[in-house]
Amino acid sequence: MNLTRRRFTRLVIGGATTLLLGGLPALAQERPAPFDKPEDVSIALVRYLSTGDFFQAYLTGVEQQAKALGVELRVLDSRQDAALQADMVDQAIALGVDGIIVQHGLTESMTAAVQRAVDAGIKVVAFDVDVENDAVPQIEQSDRDLARLALEQAVKDNGEAFQAAYVYVAGIAPLDRRNETWEEFKAKYSGIEEVAQFGTLDNPIANSVANQASAVLRANPGVTVVFAPYDEFAKGVKIAVDEAGLSSDIKIYSADISTADIQAMREDPSAWVATAATNPQLIGEVSVRALAMLLAGEDPSHNVVVPPTLVTRDMLLENDVNNMEELSQKLPQFASTDAAKPSWMPAAGQ
């Protein structure tokens, strides 16, 4: 067995979760190099956030698209440790991977680390973290549209004047982009009064947010709307609202969705009335597809955007949607996208 030095390095350096995703499907058409020999291709997913259904679904999408391509996938999870995530990029470089997906993180900790990977000749894409690098495509959910869809529904349901509480943690790229839209809405509708802002990413996120929300709701009895633009935030707020017996008095507007979220929104009563979302599994697939295009010498574009869909509690009940599979069936635009999808790319699940 002949091993190149790079391949040998991949095999002997540890410290990562390794998934050997073999079993190649029949080729629909000839694939470009290096995917004509995908068993020689190795990629890494370097994660910052992993708690919650959204991130599990995202990981599933990454795994399934990597398997469809027949490449080796390594998953490195920093569990919200910014310094460790930067170290894991260096670890991926040492492992000799061909490409890296950076999933969330902080700009200040990831910019230099990603540049080291690029300098080493490794292709990199980033999902929901701005690494300030023109060579790195940004995979996005159109976060401003996510916030806009949810907030437009809030105004439709509650009018142009209400007291709101807002859940936000600065420094996370998708939350910062959603915050820009929130600020625009407050400027547009002067009757929207933000009476409290809170938020945390401490694990478990939902329970930590619930503790904060309980105090906020006690201190601000006039709140009728909570904008919680991340589903783990919304879960936490719902816990607090339910415990306070306010499910019929407060409406929660969110971003992101999962089967657990759908079940929470369907409860009777439920304060969680709307969320704007993209399919997290689909975003995982797109992240791998964009990276594969780079490795094949193709341009996925610098900003690869997966458009969101508004999902309301009423829609879930009217269409008897109970899980993500049924949501994809009832909303076809939620199930697929042509973003970063060249003709030679095998579909996930094949």
Side-chain angles (χ1 to χ4, degrees):
M1 179 179 181
N2 294 322
L3 294 179
T4 64
R5 181 176 179 181
R6 190 175 194 185
R7 185 65 178 165
F8 180 77
T9 301
R10 291 180 191 162
L11 293 173
V12 299
I13 298 179
T17 302
T18 303
L19 301 176
L20 296 177
L21 302 173
L24 304 182
L27 300 183
Q29 69 175 72
E30 185 177 351
R31 299 184 194 175
F35 298 102
D36 53 345
K37 296 181 179 179
E39 66 277 7
D40 292 335
V41 179
S42 176
I43 65 174
L45 171 64
V46 181
R47 314 178 82 193
Y48 179 73
L49 290 168
S50 57
T51 298
D53 297 327
F54 180 95
F55 299 106
Q56 182 56 50
Y58 176 85
L59 176 60
T60 297
V62 169
E63 291 173 343
Q64 290 192 355
Q65 187 63 62
K67 183 176 182 180
L69 284 165
V71 302
E72 178 185 350
L73 170 66
R74 294 176 178 270
V75 181
L76 299 92
D77 190 349
S78 71
R79 300 185 183 278
Q80 296 158 240
D81 184 326
L84 178 58
Q85 188 185 26
D87 288 343
M88 285 180 165
V89 171
D90 290 326
Q91 185 180 39
I93 295 170
L95 287 165
V97 300
D98 301 287
I100 298 174
I101 301 167
V102 177
Q103 180 234 296
H104 292 87
L106 306 181
T107 297
E108 56 266 31
S109 59
M110 293 310 297
T111 299
V114 166
Q115 185 60 57
R116 289 193 293 273
V118 171
D119 291 343
I122 296 171
K123 302 298 184 183
V124 181
V125 300
F127 168 50
D128 269 354
V129 54
D130 182 6
V131 296
E132 299 180 337
N133 195 311
D134 291 340
V136 177
Q138 300 285 311
I139 316 300
E140 299 178 12
Q141 305 181 72
S142 188
D143 291 288
R144 295 174 182 85
D145 284 341
L146 282 168
R148 176 184 58 79
L149 288 171
L151 290 169
E152 286 176 348
Q153 187 65 34
V155 170
K156 180 180 178 181
D157 292 345
N158 303 277
E160 298 180 6
F162 50 80
Q163 287 190 3
Y166 174 44
V167 191
Y168 174 53
V169 175
I172 303 297
L175 297 181
D176 290 343
R177 289 191 289 263
R178 297 169 196 183
N179 180 65
E180 292 173 7
T181 302
W182 171 240
E183 294 297 332
E184 291 170 0
F185 261 74
K186 288 191 297 179
K188 180 178 181 180
Y189 299 105
S190 59
I192 297 177
E193 181 185 3
E194 180 187 309
V195 298
Q197 182 182 125
F198 61 100
T200 178
L201 290 173
D202 291 346
N203 284 322
I205 296 172
N207 291 342
S208 298
V209 169
N211 292 335
Q212 294 180 331
S214 294
V216 166
L217 296 177
R218 286 195 299 270
N220 299 277
V223 167
T224 57
V225 169
V226 180
F227 182 41
Y230 167 34
D231 60 344
E232 291 299 307
F233 290 169
K235 288 177 185 176
V237 174
K238 185 178 183 302
I239 291 170
V241 169
D242 288 349
E243 289 178 347
L246 297 172
S247 297
S248 299
D249 303 310
I250 291 175
K251 291 183 173 67
I252 302 168
Y253 298 84
S254 174
D256 307 326
I257 198 166
S258 68
T259 292
D261 299 343
I262 290 171
Q263 293 299 318
M265 292 175 70
R266 286 177 55 92
E267 289 177 7
D268 186 18
S270 177
W272 193 348
V273 296
T275 190
T278 52
N279 187 331
Q281 182 170 326
L282 185 61
I283 300 170
E285 295 171 13
V286 169
S287 299
V288 176
R289 285 168 13 195
L291 181 60
M293 289 181 69
L294 282 183
L295 290 169
E298 300 177 4
D299 180 12
S301 82
H302 185 67
N303 294 95
V304 182
V305 179
V306 181
T309 301
L310 179 70
V311 179
T312 66
R313 179 175 183 272
D314 288 343
M315 184 276 286
L316 295 174
L317 294 174
E318 289 169 4
N319 291 277
D320 195 26
V321 172
N322 295 278
N323 52 50
M324 293 287 281
E325 182 179 357
E326 293 175 359
L327 183 63
S328 295
Q329 292 171 352
K330 298 296 175 63
L331 294 176
Q333 69 270 30
F334 188 76
S336 64
T337 179
D338 290 332
K341 193 176 184 182
S343 59
W344 59 267
M345 186 76 66
Q350 289 187 349

